[in-house]
Amino acid sequence: MRLGDLPEWYRLGAMCSRCRHLGWLDRQRIERRFGKNRFVVTMEPLLRCTSCDNRYDNDFKIAKMRR
Ligand SMILES: [Zn+2]
């Protein structure tokens, strides 16, 4: 899945493998930085937990926004 494949009403978050902290990301900022054709899985190694600083095995989470 590419960033651009994700419908607008979905938001992108990241779950920490160590402390289970879930943080929501700013999609627009990510798309500007990496481009819409960037595959989401290729960005997993770039995730860093804002709670415990863990950088390993973090996963993207996708959730439908409440309307
Ligand atoms: Zn963490």
Side-chain angles (χ1 to χ4, degrees):
M1 190 186 62
R2 294 179 170 93
L3 279 173
D5 296 333
L6 203 59
E8 263 175 55
W9 56 89
Y10 279 79
R11 49 181 196 166
L12 195 59
M15 167 82 82
C16 176
S17 63
R18 194 159 74 182
C19 73
R20 313 311 287 173
H21 173 82
L22 177 62
W24 295 104
L25 307 167
D26 183 342
R27 275 186 64 187
Q28 285 181 340
R29 217 180 64 183
I30 292 172
E31 283 181 11
R32 269 203 305 272
R33 186 163 162 201
F34 298 105
K36 281 182 181 292
N37 292 322
R38 180 79 185 236
F39 282 93
V40 172
V41 284
T42 66
M43 296 184 295
E44 284 186 343
L46 306 173
L47 295 171
R48 184 179 57 82
C49 179
T50 53
S51 176
C52 74
D53 243 30
N54 173 46
R55 291 170 181 272
Y56 302 99
D57 284 330
N58 298 331
D59 285 317
F60 276 105
K61 291 279 172 219
I62 291 161
K64 215 183 266 192
M65 259 185 266
R66 275 195 295 264
R67 304 203 192 197

Coordinates of all heavy atoms in Angstrom, one line a residue:
M1 N 0.8 -1.2 0.0 CA 0.0 0.0 0.0 C 0.9 1.3 0.0 O 1.8 1.4 0.8 CB -0.9 0.0 1.2 CG -2.0 1.0 1.2 SD -2.9 1.1 2.8 CE -1.5 1.5 3.9
R2 N 0.5 2.2 -0.9 CA 1.2 3.4 -0.9 C 0.5 4.5 -0.1 O -0.7 4.3 0.1 CB 1.3 3.9 -2.3 CG 2.2 3.1 -3.2 CD 2.2 3.7 -4.6 NE 3.1 3.1 -5.5 CZ 2.9 2.1 -6.3 NH1 1.7 1.6 -6.4 NH2 3.8 1.6 -7.1
L3 N 1.2 5.5 0.3 CA 0.5 6.6 1.0 C -0.7 7.1 0.2 O -1.8 7.4 0.8 CB 1.5 7.8 1.2 CG 2.5 7.6 2.4 CD1 3.4 8.8 2.3 CD2 1.7 7.6 3.7
G4 N -0.6 7.3 -1.1 CA -1.6 7.8 -1.9 C -2.8 6.9 -2.0 O -3.9 7.3 -2.5
D5 N -2.6 5.6 -1.7 CA -3.8 4.7 -1.8 C -4.7 4.8 -0.6 O -5.8 4.2 -0.6 CB -3.2 3.2 -1.8 CG -2.4 2.9 -3.1 OD1 -2.6 3.6 -4.1 OD2 -1.5 2.0 -3.0
L6 N -4.3 5.5 0.4 CA -5.1 5.5 1.6 C -6.1 6.7 1.5 O -5.8 7.8 1.2 CB -4.2 5.9 2.7 CG -4.5 5.5 4.2 CD1 -4.8 4.0 4.3 CD2 -3.4 6.0 5.1
P7 N -7.4 6.3 1.6 CA -8.4 7.4 1.4 C -8.3 8.5 2.5 O -7.8 8.2 3.6 CB -9.8 6.6 1.7 CG -9.4 5.2 1.5 CD -8.0 5.0 1.8
E8 N -8.7 9.6 2.1 CA -8.6 10.8 3.0 C -9.1 10.7 4.4 O -8.6 11.3 5.3 CB -9.3 12.0 2.3 CG -8.5 12.9 1.5 CD -9.5 13.9 0.9 OE1 -10.2 14.6 1.6 OE2 -9.4 14.1 -0.4
W9 N -10.2 9.9 4.5 CA -10.8 9.8 5.8 C -10.2 8.7 6.7 O -10.7 8.4 7.7 CB -12.3 9.6 5.7 CG -12.7 8.4 4.8 CD1 -12.8 7.1 5.3 CD2 -12.9 8.3 3.4 NE1 -13.1 6.3 4.3 CE2 -13.2 7.0 3.1 CE3 -12.8 9.3 2.4 CZ2 -13.4 6.6 1.8 CZ3 -13.1 8.9 1.1 CH2 -13.4 7.6 0.8
Y10 N -9.0 8.2 6.3 CA -8.3 7.3 7.1 C -7.1 8.0 7.7 O -6.5 8.8 7.1 CB -7.8 6.1 6.4 CG -8.9 5.0 6.1 CD1 -9.8 5.2 5.2 CD2 -8.9 3.9 7.0 CE1 -10.8 4.2 5.0 CE2 -9.9 2.9 6.8 CZ -10.8 3.1 5.8 OH -11.8 2.2 5.6
R11 N -6.9 7.7 9.0 CA -5.7 8.3 9.5 C -4.6 7.3 9.8 O -4.9 6.1 9.9 CB -6.0 9.2 10.8 CG -6.8 8.5 11.8 CD -7.1 9.5 12.9 NE -7.5 8.7 14.1 CZ -7.6 9.2 15.3 NH1 -7.2 10.5 15.5 NH2 -8.0 8.5 16.3
L12 N -3.4 7.8 9.9 CA -2.3 6.9 10.0 C -1.6 7.1 11.4 O -1.3 8.2 11.8 CB -1.3 7.3 8.9 CG -0.2 6.4 8.5 CD1 -0.7 5.0 8.0 CD2 0.7 7.0 7.4
G13 N -1.5 6.0 12.0 CA -0.8 6.0 13.3 C 0.3 5.0 13.4 O 0.5 4.3 12.5
A14 N 1.0 5.0 14.5 CA 2.1 4.1 14.7 C 2.0 3.5 16.2 O 1.7 4.2 17.1 CB 3.4 4.8 14.5
M15 N 2.2 2.2 16.2 CA 2.1 1.5 17.5 C 3.5 1.0 17.9 O 4.2 0.4 17.1 CB 1.1 0.3 17.4 CG 1.2 -0.7 18.5 SD 0.2 -0.2 19.9 CE -1.5 -0.7 19.4
C16 N 3.9 1.3 19.1 CA 5.2 0.9 19.6 C 5.1 -0.6 20.0 O 4.2 -1.0 20.7 CB 5.5 1.8 20.8 SG 7.1 1.3 21.6
S17 N 6.2 -1.3 19.6 CA 6.2 -2.7 19.9 C 6.6 -3.0 21.4 O 6.4 -4.0 21.9 CB 7.2 -3.4 19.0 OG 8.5 -2.9 19.3
R18 N 7.2 -2.0 22.0 CA 7.7 -2.2 23.4 C 6.7 -1.7 24.4 O 6.3 -2.5 25.3 CB 9.0 -1.4 23.5 CG 9.7 -1.8 24.8 CD 11.2 -1.5 24.7 NE 11.4 -0.1 24.9 CZ 12.6 0.5 24.8 NH1 13.7 -0.2 24.6 NH2 12.8 1.8 24.9
C19 N 6.2 -0.5 24.3 CA 5.3 0.0 25.4 C 3.8 0.1 24.9 O 3.0 0.5 25.7 CB 5.8 1.3 25.9 SG 5.5 2.7 24.7
R20 N 3.6 -0.3 23.6 CA 2.2 -0.3 23.1 C 1.6 1.1 23.0 O 0.4 1.3 22.8 CB 1.2 -1.2 23.8 CG 1.7 -2.6 24.2 CD 2.3 -3.3 23.0 NE 1.3 -3.7 22.0 CZ 1.6 -4.3 20.9 NH1 2.9 -4.4 20.5 NH2 0.7 -4.7 20.0
H21 N 2.5 2.1 23.1 CA 2.0 3.5 22.9 C 1.5 3.7 21.4 O 2.2 3.2 20.5 CB 3.2 4.5 23.1 CG 2.9 5.9 22.8 ND1 2.1 6.7 23.7 CD2 3.2 6.6 21.7 CE1 2.0 7.9 23.1 NE2 2.6 7.9 21.9
L22 N 0.4 4.3 21.2 CA -0.1 4.5 19.9 C -0.1 6.0 19.6 O -0.8 6.8 20.4 CB -1.5 3.9 19.8 CG -2.3 4.2 18.5 CD1 -1.6 3.5 17.3 CD2 -3.7 3.6 18.6
G23 N 0.6 6.4 18.6 CA 0.6 7.8 18.3 C 0.0 8.0 16.9 O 0.2 7.2 16.0
W24 N -0.7 9.1 16.7 CA -1.2 9.4 15.4 C -0.3 10.4 14.7 O 0.2 11.4 15.3 CB -2.7 10.0 15.5 CG -3.6 8.9 16.1 CD1 -4.0 8.9 17.4 CD2 -4.0 7.8 15.4 NE1 -4.8 7.7 17.5 CE2 -4.8 7.0 16.4 CE3 -3.9 7.3 14.1 CZ2 -5.4 5.8 16.1 CZ3 -4.5 6.1 13.8 CH2 -5.3 5.3 14.8
L25 N -0.2 10.1 13.4 CA 0.8 10.9 12.6 C 0.0 11.9 11.7 O -1.1 11.8 11.4 CB 1.6 10.0 11.7 CG 2.3 8.8 12.4 CD1 2.7 7.8 11.4 CD2 3.4 9.3 13.2
D26 N 0.8 12.9 11.3 CA 0.2 13.9 10.4 C 0.5 13.5 9.0 O 1.6 13.5 8.5 CB 1.0 15.3 10.7 CG 0.4 16.4 9.9 OD1 -0.2 16.1 8.9 OD2 0.7 17.6 10.2
R27 N -0.6 13.0 8.4 CA -0.4 12.4 7.0 C 0.1 13.4 6.0 O 0.8 13.1 5.1 CB -1.8 11.9 6.5 CG -2.1 10.5 7.0 CD -3.4 10.0 6.4 NE -3.2 9.8 4.9 CZ -4.2 9.5 4.1 NH1 -5.4 9.4 4.6 NH2 -4.0 9.4 2.8
Q28 N -0.5 14.6 6.1 CA -0.1 15.6 5.1 C 1.4 15.9 5.2 O 2.1 16.1 4.2 CB -0.8 16.9 5.3 CG -2.3 16.8 4.9 CD -3.1 18.0 5.0 OE1 -2.7 18.9 5.9 NE2 -4.2 18.1 4.3
R29 N 2.0 15.9 6.4 CA 3.4 16.2 6.6 C 4.2 15.0 6.0 O 5.2 15.2 5.3 CB 3.7 16.4 8.1 CG 4.7 17.4 8.3 CD 5.0 17.6 9.8 NE 5.6 16.4 10.3 CZ 5.9 16.2 11.6 NH1 5.7 17.2 12.5 NH2 6.5 15.1 12.0
I30 N 3.7 13.8 6.3 CA 4.4 12.6 5.8 C 4.4 12.6 4.2 O 5.4 12.3 3.6 CB 3.8 11.4 6.4 CG1 4.1 11.3 7.9 CG2 4.4 10.1 5.7 CD1 3.4 10.3 8.6
E31 N 3.2 12.9 3.7 CA 3.1 12.9 2.2 C 4.0 13.9 1.6 O 4.6 13.7 0.5 CB 1.7 13.1 1.8 CG 0.9 11.8 2.0 CD -0.6 11.9 1.6 OE1 -0.9 12.9 0.9 OE2 -1.4 11.0 1.9
R32 N 4.1 15.1 2.2 CA 5.0 16.1 1.6 C 6.4 15.7 1.7 O 7.2 15.9 0.8 CB 4.8 17.4 2.4 CG 3.8 18.3 1.8 CD 4.0 19.8 2.2 NE 4.1 19.9 3.7 CZ 3.0 20.1 4.5 NH1 1.8 20.2 4.0 NH2 3.2 20.2 5.8
R33 N 6.8 15.0 2.7 CA 8.2 14.6 2.9 C 8.6 13.4 2.1 O 9.6 13.4 1.5 CB 8.4 14.3 4.4 CG 9.8 14.0 4.7 CD 10.1 14.2 6.2 NE 11.3 13.5 6.6 CZ 11.6 13.1 7.8 NH1 10.7 13.3 8.8 NH2 12.7 12.5 8.1
F34 N 7.7 12.4 2.0 CA 8.1 11.2 1.3 C 7.4 10.9 0.0 O 7.8 10.0 -0.7 CB 7.8 10.0 2.3 CG 8.5 10.0 3.5 CD1 7.9 10.3 4.7 CD2 9.9 9.7 3.5 CE1 8.6 10.4 5.9 CE2 10.6 9.8 4.7 CZ 10.0 10.1 5.9
G35 N 6.3 11.7 -0.3 CA 5.6 11.5 -1.5 C 4.5 10.5 -1.5 O 4.6 9.6 -0.7
K36 N 3.5 10.7 -2.3 CA 2.4 9.8 -2.2 C 2.6 8.4 -2.7 O 1.9 7.5 -2.5 CB 1.2 10.4 -3.1 CG 0.5 11.5 -2.4 CD -0.7 12.0 -3.4 CE -1.5 13.1 -2.8 NZ -2.2 12.7 -1.6
N37 N 3.7 8.2 -3.5 CA 4.0 6.9 -4.0 C 4.9 6.0 -3.1 O 5.3 4.9 -3.5 CB 4.7 7.0 -5.4 CG 3.7 7.5 -6.4 OD1 2.6 7.2 -6.4 ND2 4.2 8.4 -7.3
R38 N 5.2 6.6 -1.9 CA 6.0 5.8 -1.0 C 5.2 4.7 -0.4 O 4.1 5.0 0.1 CB 6.5 6.8 0.1 CG 7.4 6.2 1.1 CD 8.8 6.0 0.6 NE 9.6 5.3 1.7 CZ 10.7 5.8 2.2 NH1 11.2 6.9 1.8 NH2 11.3 5.1 3.1
F39 N 5.8 3.5 -0.4 CA 5.0 2.4 0.3 C 5.1 2.6 1.8 O 6.2 2.8 2.4 CB 5.6 1.0 -0.1 CG 5.2 0.6 -1.5 CD1 6.0 0.9 -2.6 CD2 4.0 -0.1 -1.7 CE1 5.6 0.6 -3.9 CE2 3.6 -0.4 -3.0 CZ 4.4 -0.1 -4.1
V40 N 3.9 2.4 2.4 CA 3.8 2.6 3.9 C 4.8 1.7 4.6 O 5.5 2.1 5.5 CB 2.4 2.4 4.3 CG1 2.3 2.4 5.8 CG2 1.5 3.4 3.7
V41 N 4.9 0.4 4.2 CA 5.8 -0.5 5.0 C 7.3 -0.1 5.0 O 8.0 -0.4 5.9 CB 5.7 -2.0 4.5 CG1 4.5 -2.6 5.0 CG2 5.9 -2.1 3.0
T42 N 7.7 0.6 3.9 CA 9.1 1.0 3.8 C 9.4 2.1 4.8 O 10.6 2.4 5.0 CB 9.5 1.5 2.4 OG1 8.7 2.7 2.1 CG2 9.1 0.4 1.4
M43 N 8.4 2.7 5.4 CA 8.6 3.7 6.4 C 8.6 3.2 7.8 O 9.0 4.0 8.8 CB 7.6 4.8 6.3 CG 7.7 5.5 4.9 SD 6.5 6.9 4.8 CE 5.0 6.0 4.9
E44 N 8.3 1.9 8.0 CA 8.3 1.4 9.4 C 9.6 1.6 10.1 O 9.6 1.9 11.3 CB 7.8 0.0 9.4 CG 6.3 -0.1 9.2 CD 5.6 -1.4 9.3 OE1 6.4 -2.5 9.3 OE2 4.4 -1.5 9.5
P45 N 10.7 1.3 9.5 CA 12.0 1.5 10.2 C 12.3 2.9 10.6 O 13.2 3.2 11.4 CB 13.1 1.1 9.2 CG 12.3 0.3 8.2 CD 10.9 0.8 8.1
L46 N 11.5 3.9 10.1 CA 11.7 5.3 10.5 C 10.9 5.7 11.7 O 11.1 6.8 12.2 CB 11.3 6.2 9.3 CG 11.9 5.9 7.9 CD1 11.3 6.8 6.9 CD2 13.4 6.1 8.0
L47 N 10.0 4.8 12.1 CA 9.2 5.2 13.3 C 9.9 5.2 14.6 O 10.7 4.3 14.8 CB 8.0 4.2 13.4 CG 7.0 4.2 12.2 CD1 6.0 3.1 12.4 CD2 6.2 5.5 12.1
R48 N 9.7 6.2 15.4 CA 10.3 6.2 16.7 C 9.2 6.6 17.7 O 8.4 7.5 17.5 CB 11.4 7.3 16.8 CG 12.1 7.3 18.1 CD 13.2 8.4 18.1 NE 12.7 9.7 17.9 CZ 12.1 10.5 18.8 NH1 12.0 10.1 20.0 NH2 11.7 11.7 18.5
C49 N 9.1 5.8 18.8 CA 8.1 6.0 19.8 C 8.4 7.3 20.5 O 9.5 7.6 21.0 CB 8.1 4.8 20.8 SG 6.9 5.0 22.1
T50 N 7.3 8.1 20.6 CA 7.5 9.4 21.3 C 7.4 9.2 22.9 O 7.6 10.1 23.6 CB 6.4 10.4 20.9 OG1 5.1 9.8 21.1 CG2 6.6 10.8 19.5
S51 N 7.0 8.0 23.3 CA 6.9 7.8 24.7 C 8.1 7.1 25.3 O 8.6 7.6 26.3 CB 5.6 6.9 24.9 OG 5.5 6.5 26.2
C52 N 8.7 6.1 24.6 CA 9.8 5.4 25.2 C 11.1 5.4 24.3 O 12.1 4.8 24.6 CB 9.5 4.0 25.6 SG 9.3 2.9 24.1
D53 N 11.0 6.1 23.2 CA 12.1 6.2 22.2 C 12.5 5.0 21.5 O 13.5 4.9 20.8 CB 13.3 6.7 23.0 CG 13.7 8.1 22.5 OD1 12.9 8.8 22.0 OD2 14.9 8.4 22.5
N54 N 11.7 3.9 21.6 CA 11.9 2.7 20.8 C 11.8 2.9 19.3 O 10.9 3.5 18.9 CB 10.9 1.6 21.3 CG 11.1 0.4 20.5 OD1 12.2 -0.1 20.2 ND2 9.9 -0.2 20.0
R55 N 12.8 2.3 18.6 CA 12.8 2.5 17.1 C 12.5 1.1 16.4 O 12.6 1.1 15.2 CB 14.1 3.0 16.6 CG 14.4 4.4 17.0 CD 15.9 4.7 16.7 NE 16.2 6.1 17.0 CZ 16.1 7.1 16.2 NH1 15.6 6.9 15.0 NH2 16.4 8.3 16.6
Y56 N 12.4 0.0 17.2 CA 12.4 -1.3 16.5 C 11.0 -1.9 16.5 O 10.2 -1.8 17.5 CB 13.4 -2.2 17.2 CG 14.7 -1.6 17.2 CD1 15.3 -1.0 18.3 CD2 15.5 -1.7 16.0 CE1 16.5 -0.4 18.3 CE2 16.8 -1.1 16.0 CZ 17.3 -0.5 17.1 OH 18.5 0.1 17.1
D57 N 10.7 -2.5 15.4 CA 9.4 -3.3 15.2 C 8.2 -2.5 15.4 O 7.1 -3.1 15.8 CB 9.5 -4.5 16.2 CG 10.4 -5.6 15.8 OD1 10.5 -5.8 14.5 OD2 10.9 -6.3 16.6
N58 N 8.2 -1.3 15.2 CA 7.0 -0.5 15.4 C 6.1 -0.7 14.1 O 6.6 -0.8 13.0 CB 7.3 1.0 15.6 CG 8.1 1.2 16.9 OD1 7.9 0.5 17.8 ND2 8.9 2.2 16.9
D59 N 4.8 -0.7 14.3 CA 3.9 -0.9 13.2 C 3.0 0.3 12.9 O 2.6 0.9 13.8 CB 3.0 -2.1 13.6 CG 3.7 -3.4 13.5 OD1 4.5 -3.6 12.5 OD2 3.5 -4.2 14.4
F60 N 2.7 0.4 11.6 CA 1.7 1.4 11.3 C 0.3 0.9 11.6 O 0.0 -0.3 11.5 CB 1.7 1.7 9.8 CG 2.8 2.7 9.5 CD1 4.0 2.4 8.9 CD2 2.6 4.1 9.8 CE1 4.9 3.3 8.6 CE2 3.5 5.0 9.5 CZ 4.7 4.6 8.9
K61 N -0.5 1.8 12.0 CA -2.0 1.5 12.3 C -2.8 2.4 11.4 O -2.5 3.6 11.3 CB -2.3 1.8 13.7 CG -1.7 0.9 14.7 CD -2.5 -0.4 14.8 CE -1.7 -1.4 15.6 NZ -1.8 -2.8 15.1
I62 N -3.8 1.9 10.8 CA -4.7 2.7 10.0 C -6.1 2.6 10.6 O -6.6 1.6 10.9 CB -4.7 2.1 8.6 CG1 -3.3 2.4 7.9 CG2 -5.8 2.8 7.7 CD1 -3.0 1.5 6.8
A63 N -6.7 3.8 10.7 CA -8.0 3.8 11.3 C -8.9 4.8 10.6 O -8.4 5.9 10.2 CB -8.0 4.2 12.8
K64 N -10.2 4.5 10.5 CA -11.1 5.4 9.9 C -11.4 6.5 10.9 O -11.5 6.3 12.1 CB -12.4 4.6 9.6 CG -13.1 5.0 8.4 CD -14.4 4.3 8.2 CE -14.3 3.0 7.4 NZ -15.6 2.5 7.0
M65 N -11.4 7.7 10.4 CA -11.7 8.9 11.2 C -13.2 9.0 11.5 O -14.0 8.6 10.7 CB -11.3 10.2 10.5 CG -10.0 10.7 10.9 SD -9.7 12.3 10.1 CE -8.8 11.8 8.7
R66 N -13.4 9.4 12.7 CA -14.9 9.7 13.1 C -15.4 10.9 12.3 O -14.6 11.8 12.1 CB -15.0 9.9 14.6 CG -15.1 8.7 15.4 CD -15.6 9.0 16.8 NE -14.6 9.9 17.5 CZ -13.7 9.4 18.3 NH1 -13.7 8.1 18.6 NH2 -12.8 10.1 18.9
R67 N -16.6 10.8 11.9 CA -17.1 12.0 11.1 C -18.0 12.8 12.0 O -18.6 12.2 12.9 CB -17.9 11.5 9.9 CG -17.0 10.6 9.0 CD -17.5 10.6 7.7 NE -16.9 9.6 6.9 CZ -16.9 9.5 5.6 NH1 -17.5 10.5 4.9 NH2 -16.3 8.6 4.9
Ligands
ZN1 ZN 7.2 3.0 23.2

